[in-house]
Amino acid sequence: MKFLQVAAAALLAVAGQVDAKSTFSPARPPAAPLAVRSPYLNVWLNGRTDGGESGVLPSQWPRFWTEGVQGWQGYIKVDGKTYNWMGNHPSTDFANQTAQRYTSTKTEFVMDVGGKVELTVSFLSPVFPEDHMRQSIPFAYMNVEVKAIDGRSHSVQIYSDVSGEFASGDTGAVIQWEHQQANGLHSHHFWRQNQDVFNEANDQASWGNWYWTTKDQRGVSYQIGEDTVVRSQFVNNGHLDGSIDSQFRAVRDRWPVFALSRDLGKVKGSVTTLFTIGIAQDEGIQFHGNGDKQGLPSLWKSYFDNDADLVKFFYNDYSYSLEHCLSLDNRIEADSKSVAGQDYATITTLALRQFYGAIQLVGTKDNIKVFMKEISSDSDIQTVDVIFPAFPAMVYLNHDLIKWTLEPLLEYQKSGRYPNKWAVHDLGRYPRALGYDDGNDEPMPLEECGNMVIMMLAYAQRSGDNKWLADNWDLLTRWAGYLEEDAKIPAHQLSTDDFAGQLANQTNLAIKGIIALEAMSEIATRAGHDDQKKHYSDVAHEYYDFWYEHGINHDAATPHTTLAYNDMSSYGLLYNLWGDKVLKLNFIPDEIYKMQSAWYPNVANEYGMVLDTRGTLTKTDWEIFAASMSETSTKLQFVKLIAKWINETKTWRALTDLYDTKDGGYPRGIEFTARPVVGGLFAILALR
């Protein structure tokens, strides 16, 4: 955003720096989720990298997960003096933030404004695990509450704007806008002039309509125009003038902003003002499964005739959303505390919005599909080894998500266009799920075959939908055939931890394939092929015996599995045992779980358990997978170290799943951020 180019404004900004310390509950997250509902509404308050205090809303621009600025400015005027409570436009003093707290669905900031009023800004990104209509709406709430704290009445006006940076990741793109006053609402509607459907600029959508909305009520005013002009209008006058700039232009050309304000009058008791922000796209995903390539409608289109109805419904649904989210927040917090204490609740409550913020619901009421973006690592769509670490959240919250997410992968591979004998790695680059007809996807054959088999059985066990397995029997047996070829002695290949490079004879990768073969014995019965049950189980047991001999350092003081067969100086987190646990196969002997549980504390550092011998980094999802299968003391040690890391980490973006266990920072410069694999942090709950 452009700054005022005047010395007085600069002096004010320096004079108004926040000097009081904020509290943080249950921890100070590396980045706080503000509006996180989809891959394209994914806005965060990042940590500071300039030495300033992290987690403070005044004086910082909110940012998209890429770190691109999402211009979002907030002011409050109390008895004629203006304070900045969000954003970094240098024209006023800053409100004094006293607290930040987060739950699974809400982030709240509390501020003392001049010792006169308390300002509470609540960002609610609702999550509806079992209400796919509401979950399909990529909108979020911001509620602003003001109350006097000195026993007196005060004249108060509030203001907030969003910039054109929401509409495009290319600040050279031209945007258009209009103001709408209908259905009891004031809405600023803005959009990219060139609607480049199914394309992105810096990972932001290049198509769709944005809506910034508040209630049409007494005291509300609005304005669209250049950032400095509009903001100065409020700072100087306490209201907006209703003008609409008629010069449509590029995002960075005199930075157009879309402003709403409200004069609250004399305030003593609590007064609230609700705002909503969101993007409406008629078509959300391009998909090539069976038949022709097609654009799939956003699922909300099955419930609303037009954008106006969507905006109205979402705004008026706030009370219901708030009540529902409070119940969900309480459930996740209580469940987490019951299995692993407050530290675990600190972890799961930070992960929920990030997981749901990477998925998009499309299709129709009768044919729902869920598409997942591999945010930050490469922006692939429907990456199987990203779905797998995320799927504990699906097991815990709604197993239908498993089927809806896997169905596009199955449909594509049943089309006959994918030439490889193993499971496809992903379907392309988000939002285009077009597949790899040349078979040139990233090769993780053993990884993805095992993942697909395990996840499909997990869904069938919970839903009773054995027909789904029968309908996909040909694919399942093709993948099982590959597992028979490769799971016993894995070839030189990648696993899901592809940042570590290829390796032959991976012990952890082998056990995933072996467990998947045992899972095939149950799938065979469920799919009506009971004659195949014994074959798959016999192969799995034969391979397990070989794995037991070559994949464990039996002679160590504390025995443990190795990173690769017969490499007795190596070790690694054996997180792939989780398939046996989640499927309740009782295939892996208890002695293996107890052995690993006893070993893990030997590789504990300041902030976590090391992933494997190749370095000091680790992954939070795999740590919690391992914790979920460990004895109580080891489980709690995993959890305690991760919670400590969240509160002290040097990372500054949306919760990373990859970090260094010694210094808590990004390892080797790899900044994974906002990835849906944090669904794996629910692995302990998924096994309850």
Side-chain angles (χ1 to χ4, degrees):
M1 298 296 296
K2 187 172 71 177
F3 295 154
L4 284 174
Q5 302 297 312
V6 292
L11 288 170
L12 277 170
V14 172
Q17 289 297 319
V18 180
D19 53 11
K21 295 293 185 182
S22 174
T23 62
F24 296 88
S25 178
R28 185 205 302 261
L34 301 182
V36 181
R37 289 298 309 278
S38 77
Y40 297 136
L41 181 61
N42 211 287
V43 186
W44 301 77
L45 179 69
N46 280 5
R48 299 283 288 267
T49 58
D50 60 0
E53 186 181 10
S54 291
V56 176
L57 189 63
S59 81
Q60 280 189 266
W61 290 119
R63 294 180 181 270
F64 192 59
W65 67 259
T66 59
E67 293 197 280
V69 169
Q70 302 278 264
W72 205 348
Q73 179 66 51
Y75 292 125
I76 182 170
K77 203 174 187 73
V78 180
D79 295 336
K81 182 173 181 179
T82 308
Y83 300 82
N84 180 331
W85 54 262
M86 175 170 63
N88 198 27
H89 194 103
S91 54
T92 70
D93 286 353
F94 294 108
N96 176 27
Q97 182 175 308
T98 58
Q100 183 212 110
R101 44 187 177 251
Y102 68 82
T103 67
S104 291
T105 61
K106 183 170 67 174
T107 304
E108 194 167 80
F109 301 87
V110 182
M111 302 172 207
D112 180 315
V113 185
K116 296 180 176 181
V117 303
E118 182 178 85
L119 173 69
T120 302
V121 185
S122 301
F123 295 89
L124 180 70
S125 295
V127 173
F128 300 96
E130 297 180 347
D131 184 340
H132 43 267
M133 182 270 285
R134 285 182 167 88
Q135 187 58 44
S136 73
I137 302 174
F139 281 55
Y141 298 102
M142 182 182 75
N143 191 59
V144 178
E145 179 183 4
V146 181
K147 65 180 180 181
I149 55 175
D150 62 358
R152 300 177 181 179
S153 296
H154 298 281
S155 173
V156 179
Q157 297 82 38
I158 61 168
Y159 166 102
S160 187
D161 71 51
V162 296
S163 77
E165 288 153 305
F166 277 78
S168 178
D170 173 10
T171 59
V174 175
I175 57 172
Q176 292 185 216
W177 52 78
E178 64 178 355
H179 180 76
Q180 299 174 343
Q181 188 173 357
N183 298 320
L185 302 172
H186 279 285
S187 273
H188 289 312
H189 168 211
F190 56 103
W191 64 97
R192 183 175 160 134
Q193 190 175 76
N194 172 26
Q195 290 284 290
D196 195 5
V197 181
F198 305 131
N199 281 317
E200 299 177 332
N202 294 317
D203 281 284
Q204 291 182 235
S206 293
W207 82 106
N209 295 283
W210 286 88
Y211 295 91
W212 171 234
T213 303
T214 195
K215 186 178 180 180
D216 184 359
Q217 59 186 319
R218 183 178 179 180
V220 170
S221 58
Y222 60 89
Q223 192 171 341
I224 299 175
E226 183 177 353
D227 58 346
T228 54
V229 172
V230 174
R231 291 167 184 165
S232 294
Q233 166 66 30
F234 177 81
V235 170
N236 295 331
N237 303 291
H239 62 83
L240 300 171
D241 65 13
S243 62
I244 306 297
D245 193 325
S246 60
Q247 296 182 355
F248 301 142
R249 56 188 182 271
V251 172
R252 64 171 177 258
D253 181 1
R254 292 163 290 149
W255 301 102
V257 298
F258 310 96
L260 298 166
S261 75
R262 182 186 175 198
D263 187 343
L264 306 182
K266 290 290 186 178
V267 172
K268 188 172 184 181
S270 175
V271 182
T272 62
T273 307
L274 180 66
F275 301 85
T276 61
I277 182 71
I279 180 174
Q281 296 167 311
D282 287 350
E283 292 182 326
I285 296 290
Q286 187 179 43
F287 179 51
H288 194 184
N290 286 319
D292 296 331
K293 190 186 306 181
Q294 59 180 318
L296 298 180
S298 296
L299 183 60
W300 63 261
K301 293 288 292 182
S302 292
Y303 301 91
F304 302 98
D305 292 333
N306 51 56
D307 290 7
D309 289 347
L310 176 70
V311 172
K312 176 184 176 182
F313 172 84
F314 185 78
Y315 191 93
N316 293 329
D317 199 45
Y318 179 65
S319 293
Y320 177 89
S321 294
L322 192 62
E323 182 179 358
H324 164 84
C325 287
L326 177 61
S327 176
L328 180 62
D329 289 347
N330 290 339
R331 171 192 165 191
I332 291 173
E333 182 177 16
D335 287 354
S336 299
K337 287 180 177 179
S338 72
V339 295
Q342 175 57 54
D343 283 340
Y344 189 46
T346 296
I347 296 166
T348 55
T349 52
L350 186 57
L352 185 74
R353 279 171 284 177
Q354 182 168 318
F355 164 70
Y356 274 96
I359 64 177
Q360 179 87 356
L361 278 71
V362 297
T364 62
K365 296 177 185 178
D366 300 324
N367 186 14
I368 297 173
K369 289 183 171 65
V370 171
F371 285 88
M372 180 180 289
K373 181 169 184 173
E374 186 183 341
I375 289 179
S376 81
S377 38
D378 60 14
S379 294
D380 282 350
I381 187 169
Q382 239 55 4
T383 308
V384 177
D385 62 291
V386 169
I387 298 169
F388 182 78
F391 112 103
M394 305 181 191
V395 173
Y396 170 59
L397 292 164
N398 181 4
H399 58 252
D400 286 332
L401 284 176
I402 303 171
K403 180 179 181 180
W404 295 339
T405 306
L406 298 186
E407 194 58 42
L409 290 154
L410 297 170
E411 182 177 332
Y412 167 64
Q413 288 169 96
K414 286 192 290 187
S415 73
R417 302 201 316 276
Y418 184 63
N420 296 327
K421 58 185 176 182
W422 51 77
V424 70
H425 174 267
D426 64 272
L427 290 181
R429 193 187 193 285
Y430 197 94
R432 298 178 182 269
L434 305 180
Y436 293 89
D437 295 2
D438 59 1
N440 195 31
D441 51 322
E442 185 177 12
M444 292 187 190
L446 178 49
E447 176 77 46
E448 310 306 24
C449 288
N451 289 337
M452 291 297 294
V453 170
I454 290 167
M455 289 190 288
M456 290 179 72
L457 178 55
Y459 171 74
Q461 287 177 336
R462 286 154 180 80
S463 66
D465 187 0
N466 293 328
K467 183 178 183 300
W468 190 55
L469 298 177
D471 290 344
N472 292 287
W473 177 250
D474 288 347
L475 279 179
L476 286 161
T477 53
R478 183 201 305 177
W479 301 333
Y482 182 81
L483 293 174
E484 289 189 59
E485 292 178 20
D486 200 49
K488 183 178 182 180
I489 307 175
H492 190 259
Q493 62 187 285
L494 293 171
S495 72
T496 182
D497 301 323
D498 52 359
F499 52 83
Q502 296 187 353
L503 185 69
N505 304 326
Q506 295 181 60
T507 306
N508 189 42
L509 185 59
I511 202 63
K512 174 176 282 183
I514 295 167
I515 290 169
L517 284 168
E518 180 66 16
M520 279 298 297
S521 68
E522 181 175 334
I523 288 173
T525 298
R526 288 176 173 269
H529 298 274
D530 197 53
D531 58 318
Q532 297 294 307
K533 175 183 176 68
K534 184 176 184 301
H535 166 73
Y536 287 119
S537 187
D538 286 349
V539 172
H541 281 80
E542 176 197 337
Y543 288 8
Y544 173 78
D545 290 342
F546 182 89
W547 179 91
Y548 183 83
E549 179 182 353
H550 296 278
I552 298 175
N553 184 345
H554 296 277
D555 296 327
T558 305
H560 57 85
T561 56
T562 59
L563 175 63
Y565 285 164
N566 299 324
D567 182 359
M568 298 308 165
S569 64
S570 67
Y571 57 82
L573 297 183
L574 198 65
Y575 55 81
N576 277 330
L577 290 180
W578 203 76
D580 181 57
K581 283 292 188 183
V582 74
L583 299 177
K584 298 181 179 178
L585 298 176
N586 297 316
F587 172 64
I588 303 296
D590 284 345
E591 66 175 282
I592 301 299
Y593 295 105
K594 291 178 180 178
M595 175 188 74
Q596 288 301 108
S597 180
W599 163 254
Y600 291 140
N602 289 281
V603 293
N605 283 329
E606 183 72 14
Y607 293 112
M609 311 281 192
V610 175
L611 178 64
D612 63 46
T613 323
R614 291 172 287 188
T616 57
L617 57 75
T618 197
K619 292 190 87 268
T620 54
D621 46 356
W622 301 144
E623 285 185 286
I624 294 296
F625 269 58
S628 72
M629 302 177 285
S630 295
E631 299 296 302
T632 299
S633 61
T634 301
K635 175 177 70 175
L636 294 180
Q637 185 177 3
F638 269 111
V639 167
K640 180 180 180 180
L641 291 175
I642 295 172
K644 178 184 179 184
W645 169 77
I646 286 174
N647 201 40
E648 298 179 6
T649 178
K650 297 191 296 185
T651 66
W652 63 88
R653 301 172 66 183
L655 189 63
T656 184
D657 53 288
L658 183 69
Y659 67 94
D660 189 271
T661 58
K662 287 189 173 181
D663 68 13
Y666 294 113
R668 304 200 299 267
I670 304 172
E671 295 181 17
F672 285 176
T673 185
R675 296 192 341 139
V677 300
V678 296
L681 301 180
F682 292 89
I684 300 174
L685 290 174
L687 296 186
R688 286 192 313 159

